[in-house]
Amino acid sequence: MTEDLAITTSEWEVMRIVWTLGKATSSEIIQLLVRKRPWKASTVKTLIGRLVQKGMLTATKDGHTNTYQCAISERNAMQQEANRLFQNMCAMKNGKVLAQLIQEIQLSKTDIQNLQKVLNDKLQTAPDQVACNCIPEEELTK
């Protein structure tokens, strides 16, 4: 499996189904996805094939049927995707983007309590200001 996750939004749909089920045949994945999306079976098979090529899914053959399992945990995949998102932004703006995301997504009371604890812990060692990482630091002082 590649270190860089780089899976598409459509591939995430397939992965989420397999994570939820633990393992699934292509027929099961197709059956579930065509109820969610206006996709043909061939589209779903193409997505599954790409995920196998990328090392994200493993296939076990049982007669004429392949059963697929995820080669990466859901938590690791989400962490890699979130890291990639924030690495592509100016470090100075990460807090604002994160705050906006928190406002827009649905969170449980437990999620909010966990976030509050993490933020309170992080507050103890947080700098007054995060430095810009868009251009080399020596260029900023010119």
Side-chain angles (χ1 to χ4, degrees):
M1 180 176 46
T2 173
E3 191 63 30
D4 182 18
L5 187 63
I7 62 175
T8 66
T9 302
S10 298
E11 291 168 345
W12 272 98
E13 293 279 348
V14 174
M15 295 296 290
R16 288 174 52 206
I17 286 173
V18 182
W19 279 316
T20 300
L21 297 177
K23 61 182 176 178
T25 65
S26 56
S27 297
E28 291 170 324
I29 298 168
I30 291 166
Q31 186 179 50
L32 290 167
L33 276 178
V34 297
R35 292 193 346 224
K36 284 180 70 177
R37 303 281 181 238
W39 295 344
K40 297 190 181 325
S42 60
T43 301
V44 177
K45 287 180 183 178
T46 298
L47 294 171
I48 293 168
R50 284 187 201 157
L51 289 165
V52 170
Q53 286 179 340
K54 291 178 180 184
M56 301 300 296
L57 289 177
T58 60
T60 306
K61 193 134 184 97
D62 184 20
H64 294 297
T65 305
N66 281 331
T67 300
Y68 299 94
Q69 288 186 285
C70 295
I72 183 173
S73 74
E74 185 175 18
R75 183 178 181 155
N76 285 345
M78 289 188 300
Q79 186 65 49
Q80 286 181 29
E81 189 72 10
N83 287 343
R84 181 188 8 239
L85 171 66
F86 284 99
Q87 287 170 357
N88 287 324
M89 290 188 275
C90 176
M92 292 175 63
K93 299 189 175 85
N94 285 346
K96 289 178 184 172
V97 171
L98 191 55
Q100 184 67 36
L101 287 171
I102 289 170
Q103 283 184 328
E104 293 176 4
I105 62 174
Q106 187 175 18
L107 297 168
S108 70
K109 289 181 180 182
T110 301
D111 291 333
I112 294 168
Q113 289 167 344
N114 290 338
L115 284 167
Q116 287 173 328
K117 181 184 180 328
V118 167
L119 289 171
N120 283 332
D121 291 347
K122 197 154 182 78
L123 184 60
Q124 305 308 311
T125 58
D128 289 332
Q129 184 175 341
V130 175
C132 177
N133 62 342
C134 298
I135 58 177
E137 190 174 328
E138 60 271 9
E139 293 297 319
L140 291 174
T141 58
K142 285 185 179 179

